[in-house]
Amino acid sequence: MMTKWREVTSAECQRDFDDLLDVCIEIAAERITEKWGLDPVAVVNAISGGQRVLASIPDGDDSSNAVLCEKLVDRLRSGSGEIRSYAIVSDGTVEEASDTHLEVLLEHREYAIQIRVPYLMTDSTTFDLGPMAAAVGQRHLWG
Protein backbone atom coordinates (compact mmCIF):
# COMPACT_ATOMS: atom_id res chain seq x y z
CA MET A 1 0.00 0.00 0.00
CA MET A 2 1.35 3.40 -0.97
CA THR A 3 1.82 5.95 1.81
CA LYS A 4 0.01 9.24 1.26
CA TRP A 5 2.12 12.37 1.50
CA ARG A 6 -0.09 13.90 4.20
CA GLU A 7 0.63 10.89 6.43
CA VAL A 8 4.41 11.45 6.35
CA THR A 9 4.72 15.25 6.42
CA SER A 10 4.38 17.89 9.12
CA ALA A 11 1.45 20.28 9.44
CA GLU A 12 3.78 23.07 8.27
CA CYS A 13 4.67 21.17 5.08
CA GLN A 14 1.01 20.44 4.37
CA ARG A 15 0.00 24.09 4.87
CA ASP A 16 2.86 25.25 2.66
CA PHE A 17 1.95 22.83 -0.14
CA ASP A 18 -1.75 23.73 0.00
CA ASP A 19 -0.98 27.47 -0.06
CA LEU A 20 1.72 27.21 -2.74
CA LEU A 21 -0.53 25.16 -5.02
CA ASP A 22 -3.34 27.72 -4.68
CA VAL A 23 -0.99 30.62 -5.44
CA CYS A 24 0.54 28.79 -8.42
CA ILE A 25 -2.86 28.05 -9.94
CA GLU A 26 -3.92 31.69 -9.48
CA ILE A 27 -0.73 32.93 -11.17
CA ALA A 28 -1.10 30.43 -14.02
CA ALA A 29 -4.77 31.28 -14.59
CA GLU A 30 -4.00 35.00 -14.65
CA ARG A 31 -1.03 34.71 -16.99
CA ILE A 32 -2.59 32.19 -19.35
CA THR A 33 -5.88 34.07 -19.72
CA GLU A 34 -4.16 37.45 -20.15
CA LYS A 35 -1.24 36.43 -22.36
CA TRP A 36 -2.14 32.98 -23.65
CA GLY A 37 1.11 31.60 -22.28
CA LEU A 38 2.98 30.78 -19.11
CA ASP A 39 6.73 30.81 -18.64
CA PRO A 40 7.76 28.98 -15.45
CA VAL A 41 7.28 30.91 -12.20
CA ALA A 42 8.55 30.06 -8.70
CA VAL A 43 6.73 30.95 -5.48
CA VAL A 44 9.01 30.84 -2.43
CA ASN A 45 8.24 30.66 1.29
CA ALA A 46 11.10 32.05 3.37
CA ILE A 47 12.14 30.50 6.68
CA SER A 48 11.68 33.90 8.32
CA GLY A 49 8.16 34.17 6.89
CA GLY A 50 6.86 35.91 3.83
CA GLN A 51 6.40 34.79 0.28
CA ARG A 52 7.94 36.00 -2.96
CA VAL A 53 7.52 35.25 -6.65
CA LEU A 54 10.43 34.67 -9.05
CA ALA A 55 9.78 34.80 -12.77
CA SER A 56 11.89 32.92 -15.26
CA ILE A 57 13.89 34.96 -17.70
CA PRO A 58 14.01 33.58 -21.27
CA ASP A 59 17.44 34.23 -22.80
CA GLY A 60 16.58 33.63 -26.43
CA ASP A 61 18.91 30.68 -27.08
CA ASP A 62 16.95 27.88 -25.43
CA SER A 63 13.92 29.08 -23.57
CA SER A 64 12.09 25.75 -23.30
CA ASN A 65 10.09 25.19 -20.12
CA ALA A 66 12.57 22.55 -18.94
CA VAL A 67 15.54 24.90 -19.31
CA LEU A 68 13.69 27.79 -17.67
CA CYS A 69 12.68 25.54 -14.75
CA GLU A 70 16.30 24.43 -14.33
CA LYS A 71 17.42 28.06 -14.23
CA LEU A 72 14.81 28.83 -11.55
CA VAL A 73 16.02 25.86 -9.48
CA ASP A 74 19.61 27.13 -9.82
CA ARG A 75 18.51 30.54 -8.52
CA LEU A 76 16.71 28.87 -5.63
CA ARG A 77 19.75 26.74 -4.76
CA SER A 78 21.86 29.83 -4.27
CA GLY A 79 19.53 30.94 -1.45
CA SER A 80 18.33 27.56 -0.19
CA GLY A 81 19.46 28.32 3.36
CA GLU A 82 16.76 30.99 3.56
CA ILE A 83 13.98 28.93 1.95
CA ARG A 84 11.43 26.77 3.80
CA SER A 85 9.52 25.61 0.72
CA TYR A 86 8.84 26.55 -2.87
CA ALA A 87 6.78 25.68 -5.92
CA ILE A 88 7.45 26.04 -9.61
CA VAL A 89 4.50 26.19 -11.97
CA SER A 90 4.85 25.81 -15.72
CA ASP A 91 2.66 25.00 -18.68
CA GLY A 92 3.24 21.31 -19.37
CA THR A 93 1.27 21.33 -22.60
CA VAL A 94 3.04 19.87 -25.61
CA GLU A 95 2.31 21.75 -28.84
CA GLU A 96 1.33 18.63 -30.80
CA ALA A 97 -0.93 17.29 -28.03
CA SER A 98 -4.52 18.29 -27.51
CA ASP A 99 -4.45 18.05 -23.70
CA THR A 100 -3.44 21.18 -21.82
CA HIS A 101 -2.05 20.96 -18.31
CA LEU A 102 0.01 22.71 -15.68
CA GLU A 103 3.00 21.09 -14.02
CA VAL A 104 3.60 22.12 -10.40
CA LEU A 105 6.67 20.99 -8.48
CA LEU A 106 6.28 21.52 -4.74
CA GLU A 107 9.28 21.04 -2.46
CA HIS A 108 9.60 21.48 1.29
CA ARG A 109 12.63 20.56 3.36
CA GLU A 110 10.73 17.34 4.20
CA TYR A 111 9.20 16.22 0.92
CA ALA A 112 8.69 16.88 -2.79
CA ILE A 113 5.60 16.31 -4.88
CA GLN A 114 4.82 16.78 -8.58
CA ILE A 115 1.26 17.72 -9.52
CA ARG A 116 -0.31 17.67 -12.97
CA VAL A 117 -3.38 19.87 -13.37
CA PRO A 118 -5.35 19.60 -16.63
CA TYR A 119 -7.10 22.75 -17.76
CA LEU A 120 -9.43 23.88 -20.53
CA MET A 121 -9.83 27.30 -22.06
CA THR A 122 -12.99 27.55 -24.09
CA ASP A 123 -12.37 31.27 -24.60
CA SER A 124 -9.85 33.92 -23.54
CA THR A 125 -11.40 34.41 -20.09
CA THR A 126 -12.42 30.89 -19.07
CA PHE A 127 -9.90 28.73 -17.21
CA ASP A 128 -11.44 25.44 -16.03
CA LEU A 129 -9.40 22.92 -14.01
CA GLY A 130 -9.67 19.16 -14.34
CA PRO A 131 -8.83 16.48 -11.75
CA MET A 132 -5.30 16.78 -10.38
CA ALA A 133 -2.83 13.90 -10.38
CA ALA A 134 0.06 13.80 -7.90
CA ALA A 135 3.24 11.77 -7.62
CA VAL A 136 6.35 11.89 -5.49
CA GLY A 137 8.51 14.64 -6.94
CA GLN A 138 12.22 14.98 -7.50
CA ARG A 139 14.04 16.81 -4.71
CA HIS A 140 16.19 19.63 -6.05
CA LEU A 141 17.19 21.70 -3.00
CA TRP A 142 17.17 19.27 -0.12
CA GLY A 143 18.08 15.69 -0.91
Short mmCIF file of all heavy atoms in Angstrom, two decimals, residues 22-68:
data_model
loop_
_atom_site.label_atom_id
_atom_site.label_comp_id
_atom_site.label_asym_id
_atom_site.label_seq_id
_atom_site.Cartn_x
_atom_site.Cartn_y
_atom_site.Cartn_z
N ASP A 22 -2.31 26.71 -4.40
CA ASP A 22 -3.34 27.72 -4.68
C ASP A 22 -2.75 28.94 -5.38
O ASP A 22 -3.30 29.43 -6.37
CB ASP A 22 -4.04 28.16 -3.39
CG ASP A 22 -4.97 27.11 -2.82
OD1 ASP A 22 -5.31 26.13 -3.53
OD2 ASP A 22 -5.35 27.24 -1.63
N VAL A 23 -1.63 29.43 -4.86
CA VAL A 23 -0.99 30.62 -5.44
C VAL A 23 -0.53 30.32 -6.87
O VAL A 23 -0.72 31.15 -7.77
CB VAL A 23 0.18 31.11 -4.56
CG1 VAL A 23 0.98 32.19 -5.25
CG2 VAL A 23 -0.34 31.60 -3.21
N CYS A 24 0.07 29.16 -7.08
CA CYS A 24 0.54 28.79 -8.42
C CYS A 24 -0.61 28.72 -9.43
O CYS A 24 -0.47 29.20 -10.56
CB CYS A 24 1.28 27.46 -8.38
SG CYS A 24 2.96 27.60 -7.70
N ILE A 25 -1.71 28.15 -9.03
CA ILE A 25 -2.86 28.05 -9.94
C ILE A 25 -3.42 29.44 -10.24
O ILE A 25 -3.77 29.74 -11.38
CB ILE A 25 -3.93 27.09 -9.40
CG1 ILE A 25 -3.38 25.66 -9.50
CG2 ILE A 25 -5.25 27.24 -10.15
CD1 ILE A 25 -4.24 24.60 -8.87
N GLU A 26 -3.46 30.32 -9.24
CA GLU A 26 -3.92 31.69 -9.48
C GLU A 26 -3.00 32.41 -10.46
O GLU A 26 -3.47 33.08 -11.39
CB GLU A 26 -3.97 32.47 -8.16
CG GLU A 26 -5.11 32.09 -7.26
CD GLU A 26 -5.05 32.81 -5.92
OE1 GLU A 26 -4.43 33.90 -5.83
OE2 GLU A 26 -5.62 32.29 -4.95
N ILE A 27 -1.69 32.29 -10.27
CA ILE A 27 -0.73 32.93 -11.17
C ILE A 27 -0.89 32.37 -12.58
O ILE A 27 -0.93 33.13 -13.56
CB ILE A 27 0.71 32.73 -10.66
CG1 ILE A 27 0.95 33.56 -9.41
CG2 ILE A 27 1.73 33.06 -11.74
CD1 ILE A 27 2.26 33.25 -8.69
N ALA A 28 -0.97 31.05 -12.69
CA ALA A 28 -1.10 30.43 -14.02
C ALA A 28 -2.38 30.88 -14.71
O ALA A 28 -2.36 31.23 -15.90
CB ALA A 28 -1.07 28.91 -13.89
N ALA A 29 -3.49 30.87 -14.00
CA ALA A 29 -4.77 31.28 -14.59
C ALA A 29 -4.70 32.72 -15.08
O ALA A 29 -5.13 33.03 -16.20
CB ALA A 29 -5.90 31.11 -13.58
N GLU A 30 -4.11 33.59 -14.27
CA GLU A 30 -4.00 35.00 -14.65
C GLU A 30 -3.12 35.16 -15.88
O GLU A 30 -3.49 35.83 -16.85
CB GLU A 30 -3.42 35.79 -13.49
CG GLU A 30 -3.20 37.25 -13.80
CD GLU A 30 -2.57 37.97 -12.64
OE1 GLU A 30 -3.12 37.89 -11.52
OE2 GLU A 30 -1.51 38.60 -12.85
N ARG A 31 -1.96 34.52 -15.88
CA ARG A 31 -1.03 34.71 -16.99
C ARG A 31 -1.52 34.05 -18.27
O ARG A 31 -1.34 34.59 -19.36
CB ARG A 31 0.35 34.19 -16.61
CG ARG A 31 0.97 35.08 -15.55
CD ARG A 31 2.35 34.71 -15.23
NE ARG A 31 2.84 35.67 -14.24
CZ ARG A 31 4.10 35.90 -14.03
NH1 ARG A 31 5.02 35.26 -14.70
NH2 ARG A 31 4.46 36.78 -13.12
N ILE A 32 -2.12 32.88 -18.15
CA ILE A 32 -2.59 32.19 -19.35
C ILE A 32 -3.78 32.92 -19.97
O ILE A 32 -3.84 33.08 -21.18
CB ILE A 32 -2.92 30.71 -19.05
CG1 ILE A 32 -1.60 29.95 -18.80
CG2 ILE A 32 -3.70 30.08 -20.19
CD1 ILE A 32 -1.79 28.53 -18.30
N THR A 33 -4.72 33.38 -19.14
CA THR A 33 -5.88 34.07 -19.72
C THR A 33 -5.53 35.44 -20.25
O THR A 33 -6.14 35.90 -21.21
CB THR A 33 -7.04 34.20 -18.69
OG1 THR A 33 -6.57 34.89 -17.53
CG2 THR A 33 -7.60 32.85 -18.33
N GLU A 34 -4.53 36.11 -19.67
CA GLU A 34 -4.16 37.45 -20.15
C GLU A 34 -3.21 37.41 -21.33
O GLU A 34 -3.28 38.24 -22.21
CB GLU A 34 -3.54 38.27 -19.02
CG GLU A 34 -4.56 38.70 -17.99
CD GLU A 34 -3.94 39.52 -16.89
OE1 GLU A 34 -2.74 39.87 -16.97
OE2 GLU A 34 -4.67 39.82 -15.93
N LYS A 35 -2.29 36.43 -21.33
CA LYS A 35 -1.24 36.43 -22.36
C LYS A 35 -1.26 35.19 -23.23
O LYS A 35 -0.44 35.07 -24.13
CB LYS A 35 0.13 36.51 -21.68
CG LYS A 35 0.34 37.74 -20.86
CD LYS A 35 1.70 37.71 -20.21
CE LYS A 35 1.89 38.89 -19.30
NZ LYS A 35 3.15 38.84 -18.59
N TRP A 36 -2.11 34.26 -22.94
CA TRP A 36 -2.14 32.98 -23.65
C TRP A 36 -0.77 32.31 -23.61
O TRP A 36 -0.25 31.84 -24.60
CB TRP A 36 -2.62 33.16 -25.08
CG TRP A 36 -4.09 33.39 -25.12
CD1 TRP A 36 -4.71 34.60 -25.04
CD2 TRP A 36 -5.12 32.43 -25.21
NE1 TRP A 36 -6.05 34.45 -25.08
CE2 TRP A 36 -6.34 33.11 -25.19
CE3 TRP A 36 -5.13 31.05 -25.31
CZ2 TRP A 36 -7.56 32.47 -25.26
CZ3 TRP A 36 -6.35 30.41 -25.38
CH2 TRP A 36 -7.55 31.12 -25.36
N GLY A 37 -0.17 32.27 -22.44
CA GLY A 37 1.11 31.60 -22.28
C GLY A 37 1.61 31.72 -20.86
O GLY A 37 1.22 32.62 -20.13
N LEU A 38 2.46 30.78 -20.47
CA LEU A 38 2.98 30.78 -19.11
C LEU A 38 4.42 30.31 -19.12
O LEU A 38 4.69 29.13 -19.34
CB LEU A 38 2.14 29.86 -18.21
CG LEU A 38 2.68 29.61 -16.80
CD1 LEU A 38 2.67 30.90 -15.96
CD2 LEU A 38 1.86 28.53 -16.10
N ASP A 39 5.36 31.22 -18.91
CA ASP A 39 6.73 30.81 -18.64
C ASP A 39 6.79 30.38 -17.19
O ASP A 39 6.00 30.86 -16.36
CB ASP A 39 7.69 31.99 -18.88
CG ASP A 39 7.90 32.27 -20.37
OD1 ASP A 39 7.77 31.34 -21.17
OD2 ASP A 39 8.18 33.44 -20.70
N PRO A 40 7.69 29.47 -16.83
CA PRO A 40 7.76 28.98 -15.45
C PRO A 40 7.92 30.12 -14.43
O PRO A 40 8.61 31.11 -14.69
CB PRO A 40 8.99 28.08 -15.47
CG PRO A 40 9.08 27.62 -16.89
CD PRO A 40 8.65 28.81 -17.71
N VAL A 41 7.26 29.94 -13.30
CA VAL A 41 7.28 30.91 -12.20
C VAL A 41 7.50 30.13 -10.91
O VAL A 41 6.91 29.06 -10.72
CB VAL A 41 5.94 31.67 -12.11
CG1 VAL A 41 5.90 32.59 -10.89
CG2 VAL A 41 5.68 32.46 -13.38
N ALA A 42 8.33 30.67 -10.02
CA ALA A 42 8.55 30.06 -8.70
C ALA A 42 7.88 30.93 -7.64
O ALA A 42 7.93 32.16 -7.71
CB ALA A 42 10.04 29.92 -8.41
N VAL A 43 7.28 30.27 -6.65
CA VAL A 43 6.73 30.95 -5.48
C VAL A 43 7.50 30.37 -4.30
O VAL A 43 7.59 29.15 -4.14
CB VAL A 43 5.22 30.69 -5.33
CG1 VAL A 43 4.68 31.42 -4.11
CG2 VAL A 43 4.47 31.10 -6.59
N VAL A 44 8.08 31.26 -3.48
CA VAL A 44 9.01 30.84 -2.43
C VAL A 44 8.50 31.28 -1.07
O VAL A 44 8.13 32.45 -0.89
CB VAL A 44 10.40 31.47 -2.68
CG1 VAL A 44 11.38 31.04 -1.61
CG2 VAL A 44 10.92 31.10 -4.07
N ASN A 45 8.51 30.34 -0.11
CA ASN A 45 8.24 30.66 1.29
C ASN A 45 9.57 30.73 2.02
O ASN A 45 10.33 29.76 2.04
CB ASN A 45 7.37 29.57 1.94
CG ASN A 45 5.93 29.64 1.50
OD1 ASN A 45 5.42 30.69 1.14
ND2 ASN A 45 5.26 28.50 1.52
N ALA A 46 9.85 31.87 2.64
CA ALA A 46 11.10 32.05 3.37
C ALA A 46 10.99 31.45 4.77
O ALA A 46 9.90 31.39 5.35
CB ALA A 46 11.44 33.53 3.47
N ILE A 47 12.11 31.02 5.31
CA ILE A 47 12.14 30.50 6.68
C ILE A 47 11.65 31.56 7.66
O ILE A 47 10.92 31.27 8.60
CB ILE A 47 13.57 30.03 7.06
CG1 ILE A 47 13.92 28.75 6.30
CG2 ILE A 47 13.70 29.81 8.56
CD1 ILE A 47 15.34 28.26 6.50
N SER A 48 12.04 32.80 7.43
CA SER A 48 11.68 33.90 8.32
C SER A 48 10.23 34.36 8.14
O SER A 48 9.76 35.24 8.85
CB SER A 48 12.62 35.08 8.09
OG SER A 48 12.54 35.51 6.75
N GLY A 49 9.53 33.77 7.20
CA GLY A 49 8.16 34.17 6.89
C GLY A 49 8.14 34.98 5.61
O GLY A 49 9.17 35.40 5.09
N GLY A 50 6.99 35.16 5.07
CA GLY A 50 6.86 35.91 3.83
C GLY A 50 6.97 35.02 2.61
O GLY A 50 7.48 33.91 2.67
N GLN A 51 6.45 35.53 1.54
CA GLN A 51 6.40 34.79 0.28
C GLN A 51 6.81 35.73 -0.85
O GLN A 51 6.48 36.91 -0.82
CB GLN A 51 4.97 34.29 0.05
CG GLN A 51 4.82 33.23 -0.97
CD GLN A 51 3.40 32.67 -0.96
OE1 GLN A 51 2.46 33.37 -1.34
NE2 GLN A 51 3.25 31.44 -0.53
N ARG A 52 7.56 35.20 -1.81
CA ARG A 52 7.94 36.00 -2.96
C ARG A 52 7.79 35.18 -4.23
O ARG A 52 7.78 33.95 -4.19
CB ARG A 52 9.36 36.55 -2.83
CG ARG A 52 10.42 35.49 -2.77
CD ARG A 52 11.78 36.11 -2.41
NE ARG A 52 12.71 35.06 -2.07
CZ ARG A 52 13.74 34.70 -2.82
NH1 ARG A 52 13.98 35.33 -3.94
NH2 ARG A 52 14.53 33.72 -2.47
N VAL A 53 7.69 35.88 -5.34
CA VAL A 53 7.52 35.25 -6.65
C VAL A 53 8.75 35.56 -7.49
O VAL A 53 9.22 36.70 -7.53
CB VAL A 53 6.25 35.77 -7.35
CG1 VAL A 53 6.13 35.19 -8.76
CG2 VAL A 53 5.02 35.44 -6.52
N LEU A 54 9.30 34.52 -8.14
CA LEU A 54 10.43 34.67 -9.05
C LEU A 54 9.97 34.26 -10.45
O LEU A 54 9.50 33.14 -10.63
CB LEU A 54 11.60 33.78 -8.65
CG LEU A 54 12.25 34.01 -7.30
CD1 LEU A 54 13.27 32.90 -7.02
CD2 LEU A 54 12.93 35.36 -7.29
N ALA A 55 10.14 35.13 -11.40
CA ALA A 55 9.78 34.80 -12.77
C ALA A 55 11.00 34.28 -13.50
O ALA A 55 12.13 34.69 -13.20
CB ALA A 55 9.24 36.04 -13.48
N SER A 56 10.79 33.39 -14.42
CA SER A 56 11.89 32.92 -15.26
C SER A 56 12.21 33.99 -16.28
O SER A 56 11.37 34.81 -16.63
CB SER A 56 11.52 31.60 -15.94
OG SER A 56 10.37 31.78 -16.73
N ILE A 57 13.45 33.96 -16.74
CA ILE A 57 13.89 34.96 -17.70
C ILE A 57 14.39 34.25 -18.96
O ILE A 57 15.49 33.70 -18.96
CB ILE A 57 15.01 35.83 -17.11
CG1 ILE A 57 14.52 36.48 -15.81
CG2 ILE A 57 15.46 36.89 -18.11
CD1 ILE A 57 15.61 37.11 -14.99
N PRO A 58 13.57 34.21 -20.02
CA PRO A 58 14.01 33.58 -21.27
C PRO A 58 15.23 34.33 -21.81
O PRO A 58 15.28 35.56 -21.77
CB PRO A 58 12.82 33.73 -22.21
CG PRO A 58 11.65 34.00 -21.33
CD PRO A 58 12.19 34.69 -20.12
N ASP A 59 16.23 33.58 -22.29
CA ASP A 59 17.44 34.23 -22.80
C ASP A 59 17.56 34.17 -24.31
O ASP A 59 18.57 34.57 -24.87
CB ASP A 59 18.69 33.65 -22.14
CG ASP A 59 18.87 32.17 -22.42
OD1 ASP A 59 18.15 31.62 -23.27
OD2 ASP A 59 19.74 31.56 -21.78
N GLY A 60 16.57 33.64 -24.97
CA GLY A 60 16.58 33.63 -26.43
C GLY A 60 17.16 32.38 -27.04
O GLY A 60 16.65 31.88 -28.02
N ASP A 61 18.27 31.86 -26.50
CA ASP A 61 18.91 30.68 -27.08
C ASP A 61 18.02 29.45 -26.93
O ASP A 61 17.59 28.87 -27.90
CB ASP A 61 20.27 30.41 -26.43
CG ASP A 61 21.31 31.43 -26.85
OD1 ASP A 61 21.06 32.15 -27.84
OD2 ASP A 61 22.35 31.52 -26.18
N ASP A 62 17.80 29.04 -25.70
CA ASP A 62 16.95 27.88 -25.43
C ASP A 62 16.04 28.25 -24.29
O ASP A 62 16.43 28.18 -23.14
CB ASP A 62 17.79 26.65 -25.09
CG ASP A 62 16.92 25.41 -24.93
OD1 ASP A 62 15.69 25.49 -25.11
OD2 ASP A 62 17.47 24.34 -24.61
N SER A 63 14.84 28.67 -24.61
CA SER A 63 13.92 29.08 -23.57
C SER A 63 12.78 28.08 -23.40
O SER A 63 11.66 28.45 -23.15
CB SER A 63 13.38 30.48 -23.87
OG SER A 63 12.75 30.50 -25.13
N SER A 64 13.10 26.78 -23.54
CA SER A 64 12.09 25.75 -23.30
C SER A 64 11.71 25.76 -21.82
O SER A 64 12.47 26.23 -20.97
CB SER A 64 12.62 24.38 -23.70
OG SER A 64 13.65 23.97 -22.80
N ASN A 65 10.53 25.25 -21.52
CA ASN A 65 10.09 25.19 -20.12
C ASN A 65 11.08 24.44 -19.24
O ASN A 65 11.35 24.86 -18.12
CB ASN A 65 8.71 24.55 -20.02
CG ASN A 65 7.60 25.55 -20.23
OD1 ASN A 65 7.82 26.76 -20.29
ND2 ASN A 65 6.39 25.06 -20.34
N ALA A 66 11.62 23.34 -19.74
CA ALA A 66 12.57 22.55 -18.94
C ALA A 66 13.80 23.36 -18.59
O ALA A 66 14.26 23.36 -17.43
CB ALA A 66 12.96 21.28 -19.69
N VAL A 67 14.34 24.09 -19.55
CA VAL A 67 15.54 24.90 -19.31
C VAL A 67 15.22 26.04 -18.35
O VAL A 67 15.98 26.34 -17.42
CB VAL A 67 16.12 25.44 -20.65
CG1 VAL A 67 17.18 26.49 -20.41
CG2 VAL A 67 16.66 24.28 -21.47
N LEU A 68 14.07 26.69 -18.55
CA LEU A 68 13.69 27.79 -17.67
C LEU A 68 13.45 27.31 -16.25
O LEU A 68 13.82 28.00 -15.29
CB LEU A 68 12.46 28.50 -18.22
CG LEU A 68 12.66 29.26 -19.53
CD1 LEU A 68 11.33 29.79 -20.07
CD2 LEU A 68 13.67 30.38 -19.37
#
